Amino acid sequence: MNRLLLFLPFGNFSSLSLGYDVSHFYVCSTDYVKKERNFLCQVSKFNMNVPLPSKADEFFDCCMETSEWMSRGSKALLVDQLFKDMKKYGFNSVADRGIIEEVGSNCRKEMGSKINGRGYILCFLADRRTSKCFKNMLKKKEGEFFTKQTYCKSG
């Protein structure tokens, strides 16, 4: 019986690694802006032009960093990982990783030292070459947050 109990936790961990993606946006929301339901509802509908709560930057940075799309220290865009995720969800309408690199680079030039996770997200949603693909990838990869929109429900 004791041996069986030792294996029980390992069984739970292995089920977590069967390809189910964790919604980094959902997890980060619980860490930084959980009580900001209206803000989270609007973001989950891709309406990013809303009043920002005090921890909004930390929330967006957390989303980008835990998704491994932005480095923690330098705030550099991690193009390879972002491109890999966009391809993983079948959205090859972005011709190549060069477009992602270009949009990220232009965004960083425009924002300078103020670049952050929210800035990158806004740039990818605004650019006509990446907007649809990026949004669709988020809906699939981050479905817990963008598809269920649990923050938009009353209660």
Side-chain angles (χ1 to χ4, degrees):
M1 183 66 170
N2 287 341
R3 288 183 187 155
L4 180 61
L5 292 176
L6 287 174
F7 288 109
L8 186 60
F10 295 112
N12 289 338
F13 288 123
S14 65
S15 68
L16 292 175
S17 63
L18 292 176
Y20 299 113
D21 280 319
V22 172
S23 174
H24 297 102
F25 279 72
Y26 180 79
V27 171
C28 291
S29 71
T30 62
D31 288 345
Y32 293 102
V33 288
K34 185 176 185 175
K35 293 180 181 173
E36 303 290 342
R37 293 180 67 84
N38 183 54
F39 165 75
L40 292 168
C41 177
Q42 294 305 310
V43 169
S44 73
K45 293 178 179 181
F46 297 100
N47 179 9
M48 303 290 173
N49 297 318
V50 294
L52 299 176
S54 62
K55 298 271 187 182
D57 285 341
E58 289 96 332
F59 164 70
F60 287 113
D61 285 353
C62 174
C63 297
M64 290 291 289
E65 290 167 353
T66 57
S67 295
E68 297 180 354
W69 300 334
M70 182 179 80
S71 70
R72 291 182 192 274
S74 69
K75 305 271 190 220
L77 184 67
L78 302 174
V79 175
D80 290 337
Q81 185 61 39
L82 180 56
F83 181 63
K84 178 181 165 188
D85 282 346
M86 289 173 89
K87 277 182 63 175
K88 178 180 178 182
Y89 291 94
F91 299 100
N92 293 317
S93 61
V94 175
D96 60 20
R97 83 180 272 297
I99 293 172
I100 294 170
E101 192 167 26
E102 181 184 334
V103 171
S105 177
N106 290 342
C107 189
R108 190 168 181 111
K109 284 178 193 168
E110 184 179 313
M111 294 188 72
S113 64
K114 295 184 194 272
I115 191 67
N116 61 16
R118 182 173 182 265
Y120 283 124
I121 290 168
L122 289 171
C123 287
F124 284 104
L125 290 173
D127 191 280
R128 63 174 174 72
R129 299 169 297 170
T130 57
S131 179
K132 183 177 179 182
C133 178
F134 188 70
K135 194 181 282 190
N136 286 333
M137 183 267 300
L138 286 175
K139 285 179 183 176
K140 292 198 178 228
K141 184 178 185 302
E142 301 287 338
E144 179 76 20
F145 185 84
F146 286 99
T147 304
K148 291 184 180 178
Q149 297 178 343
T150 55
Y151 299 106
C152 299
K153 298 173 179 140
S154 61

